[in-house]
Amino acid sequence: MITPFQAASFRRSIPAAMALLLAAGCTGGSGGPASNAAAKPVPTQVTTAPAAPKPKGAADPALRSFYEQKISWKACKDDPATKKKDEREFRCGTLKVPLDYAAPDGKSLDIAVMQYPAAKPDQRIGSLVLNPGGPGSSGQDFVKYGFDDFDGILHDRYDVLGFDPRGVADSAPVRCFDDKTRDERNARDSPRDPGERKAYGEQSSKEFSAACQDKSGDLLSFVGTRNAARDMDVLRGAVGDDKLNYLGVSYGTYLGSLYAEEFPDRAGRLVLDAVVDPAADKLDASIDQTIGFERSFRAFAADCAARTGCPLGGDPGKAAEVAANFLDGLQEKPLRTAYDGRKLTSSLGWTGTTSLLYGDKETAWKYLRESLTLAMNGKDGSHLLFYADNYMGRDPKGHYDNSGDARSAIRCADGAAPAPSPERIQQVLAKLKAEAPLFSKDTVASDIEGPGCEFWPYKTPEKPHVIRAEGAAPILVIGTTGDPATPYAASEKLAQNLSHATLLTLKGEGHGAFGRSKCVDAVVTAYIVEGTLPAAGTQCTDGK
């Protein structure tokens, strides 16, 4: 039996549909041209020295009150998932941050924070701040449902902190669509006709942008990741830590990279697991991710075909096509489910399937085999619909969290990709058809050229860029060889680009390494607790 608690473990590190990239803008000053007339005496000129750079973070007097605040910790709201067997409760509090760091005397935001206090206070080192990915995923949920991953030496020595980034969950959440509209849009299959598909995509994007502007317009220009990194530094100051110790997964690696760039002197022991490469072109990152999911889908199908009772048949070379044809066929023949008369459409079937590819081979692939067996042999789409709902943040009562709205808002605040040239579009189509034919079967030029953030009400100058983080402490980067969502090459690139980083490799399937391998967990613990980095080239194996 699949429980919501089991499913929640898969949501802890689910990233966006493409890499989240951001760049720092640079501004410069200019002086007026000097003039001189040879026939006239030159008056004495008073030269003014260039203005000193504006203080950043805690050094900025305008931000002092935010850094000096003390979080008032209280028992979290009654929730069975937030209590340990020893009856020690998690604690919740609120962090105040400026809406706009350029005008900190204006409006402020309340950032929701959850603390899992250190088990051995007399040996406490400080706080370990977490981010599970997304963007749009709740850091509080990461603590609430994943606390057992930290039990032991890590939790003995650290308060484990999870916060909901601005715009997410309990921290001034971005809201766009109501639940009914979400249901309709998530179940809708995109037209296959290229012309209809383009018109549908543009209209859908326009409707979403307008809804977000209507309900959350004041927030949209302030929910970018750079502001979340600044919030994280305020959190560091508020809990009394000189340095930020941090574990970020998926999109959380991008947040951590930006933090190291913004505050290199405050970066403590940072662990970045399942990397979103901040220097990657957005379109390239999306292509790589699509190819990664196709590879994982084929690996899953081949593994299934080698097992007794696999609904995909016994030929590993054909099993993936059998699964894809079944899921595509749901567009004409959606399946019944046990959920209030709802149908499993092709869109929902692919979403449920893909969501389980984020998980590990032992557990998530087992659930996917069971779900496809029920759907293909039992003509019941309930399990795949369950996982699709879980991925999209829909609870059994039909209420959606704001993860989908926040994901799009943060992506667009972090920088929209420029429209590719016609030649580039054809190159991309050719690559997708060659390397991901099942996942790009209906992909047409308009899917590549847009829609994206072109109808978004807020435009940002942010662009992808290489992050060096000069002056930051050593950073531990982790990549999994079979990661479909953040391919291993991104971890290699970030480790190469950072001025001081060590790459740890997990040989295995699934998204994210921490909590899935005793070897990885031991390396992470040794670094966060003792500051000991692994030897160059260290590799771990999935499940060991």
Side-chain angles (χ1 to χ4, degrees):
M1 180 65 182
I2 304 165
T3 68
F5 182 83
Q6 289 171 318
S9 67
F10 297 120
R11 295 192 62 217
R12 293 202 312 253
S13 57
I14 289 176
M18 61 174 64
L20 278 297
L21 310 168
L22 182 64
C26 296
T27 60
S30 61
S35 61
N36 196 351
K40 297 181 181 179
V42 180
T44 302
Q45 299 286 325
V46 178
T47 303
T48 303
K54 187 178 187 300
K56 183 183 292 187
D60 184 352
L63 297 175
R64 186 169 296 143
S65 63
F66 293 101
Y67 276 88
E68 292 179 350
Q69 68 184 293
K70 301 298 180 185
I71 298 176
S72 177
W73 297 109
K74 299 178 181 179
C76 298
K77 294 180 181 178
D78 189 21
D79 182 342
T82 63
K83 292 185 179 180
K84 288 282 289 177
K85 292 180 180 179
D86 62 3
E87 297 183 355
R88 295 179 66 243
E89 292 187 347
F90 293 92
R91 303 196 300 174
C92 291
T94 299
L95 178 80
K96 285 203 173 292
V97 298
L99 172 68
D100 182 359
Y101 276 89
D105 292 333
K107 293 182 179 179
S108 63
L109 298 177
D110 288 342
I111 302 298
V113 188
M114 181 177 286
Q115 181 192 64
Y116 186 27
K120 296 182 178 179
D122 58 323
Q123 299 179 26
R124 178 182 176 275
I125 295 173
S127 297
L128 176 63
V129 178
L130 311 178
N131 182 276
S137 297
S138 166
Q140 293 191 107
D141 283 352
F142 199 9
V143 175
K144 184 188 301 183
Y145 298 117
F147 59 82
D148 52 339
D149 287 340
F150 304 94
D151 278 342
I153 298 175
L154 273 180
H155 180 230
D156 286 346
R157 307 296 300 277
Y158 282 93
D159 296 335
V160 179
L161 294 183
F163 72 102
D164 294 345
R166 54 172 61 205
V168 176
D170 292 333
S171 297
V174 170
R175 289 289 182 184
C176 302
F177 285 135
D178 59 29
D179 293 336
K180 181 180 179 182
T181 304
R182 274 278 178 205
D183 266 350
E184 293 171 350
R185 288 169 66 92
N186 289 338
R188 195 182 304 162
D189 292 328
S190 298
R192 287 175 175 165
D193 176 80
E196 293 179 5
R197 192 179 182 92
K198 180 177 182 179
Y200 165 79
E202 289 182 354
Q203 183 61 30
S204 178
S205 184
K206 287 179 180 177
E207 290 173 356
F208 181 72
S209 297
C212 293
Q213 173 67 15
D214 180 56
K215 293 187 177 181
S216 301
D218 292 345
L219 276 174
L220 298 183
S221 59
F222 300 105
V223 295
T225 303
R226 194 169 297 279
N227 278 332
R230 292 165 178 159
D231 295 343
M232 202 154 60
D233 196 55
V234 173
L235 176 59
R236 174 200 59 75
V239 297
D241 288 352
D242 292 332
K243 303 278 187 178
L244 177 78
N245 299 304
Y246 175 79
L247 170 63
V249 182
S250 192
Y251 160 81
T253 67
Y254 179 56
L255 174 60
S257 296
L258 277 187
Y259 181 89
E261 180 180 57
E262 282 273 309
F263 307 101
D265 59 325
R266 295 299 185 185
R269 297 167 184 173
L270 271 56
V271 178
L272 308 181
D273 178 13
V275 168
V276 171
D277 181 10
D281 172 81
K282 277 195 169 186
L283 183 54
D284 285 339
S286 180
I287 296 166
D288 290 344
Q289 190 178 75
T290 302
I291 293 171
F293 272 108
E294 172 116 1
R295 187 208 61 79
S296 290
F297 183 67
R298 288 182 179 276
F300 156 76
D303 178 81
C304 178
R307 299 172 183 268
T308 302
C310 174
L312 309 180
D315 187 343
K318 296 180 179 179
E321 284 80 0
V322 172
N325 289 337
F326 168 75
L327 293 168
D328 288 340
L330 295 174
Q331 186 157 351
E332 286 75 32
K333 295 181 180 180
L335 288 183
R336 64 179 174 82
T337 73
Y339 298 111
D340 300 324
R342 297 169 66 208
K343 299 280 190 179
L344 181 75
T345 62
S346 181
S347 177
L348 290 169
W350 273 110
T351 300
T353 297
T354 303
S355 73
L356 286 168
L357 296 177
Y358 284 101
D360 64 5
K361 184 175 180 179
E362 180 179 351
T363 304
W365 285 15
K366 173 178 177 288
Y367 290 164
L368 183 51
R369 287 195 305 272
E370 294 172 348
S371 299
L372 286 172
T373 298
L374 181 65
M376 298 176 74
N377 295 346
K379 305 303 179 185
D380 185 343
S382 298
H383 280 197
L384 285 176
L385 181 59
F386 172 85
Y387 285 115
D389 285 349
N390 180 70
Y391 176 75
M392 295 182 293
R394 185 188 194 274
D395 68 21
K397 295 182 180 180
H399 175 66
Y400 285 85
D401 63 24
N402 89 310
S403 58
D405 293 340
R407 182 180 303 124
S408 294
I410 295 169
R411 278 179 50 208
C412 290
D414 282 352
S421 67
E423 293 78 16
R424 175 70 169 135
I425 290 173
Q426 293 307 312
Q427 290 173 355
V428 169
L429 281 173
K431 183 171 185 178
L432 288 174
K433 299 301 182 183
E435 300 185 45
L438 301 180
F439 273 63
S440 65
K441 179 180 178 181
D442 295 325
T443 301
V444 297
S446 62
D447 296 324
I448 297 168
E449 65 190 19
C453 300
E454 64 267 38
F455 302 115
W456 201 247
Y458 166 69
K459 304 300 180 184
T460 174
E462 303 283 14
K463 296 178 181 179
H465 66 293
V466 171
I467 290 181
R468 294 281 299 158
E470 298 280 359
I475 295 173
L476 177 60
V477 177
I478 309 175
T480 301
T481 55
D483 190 329
T486 52
Y488 178 70
S491 296
E492 291 181 304
K493 290 178 183 176
L494 182 63
Q496 292 168 1
N497 287 335
L498 288 168
S499 63
H500 196 174
T502 297
L503 175 64
L504 172 66
T505 299
L506 174 65
K507 298 179 69 175
E509 301 291 335
H511 181 52
F514 181 74
R516 287 181 36 214
S517 161
K518 292 180 180 178
C519 170
V520 169
D521 293 355
V523 171
V524 170
T525 298
Y527 179 55
I528 292 178
V529 174
E530 301 170 5
T532 303
L533 285 165
T538 298
Q539 295 187 348
C540 295
T541 302
D542 201 359
K544 297 181 180 180

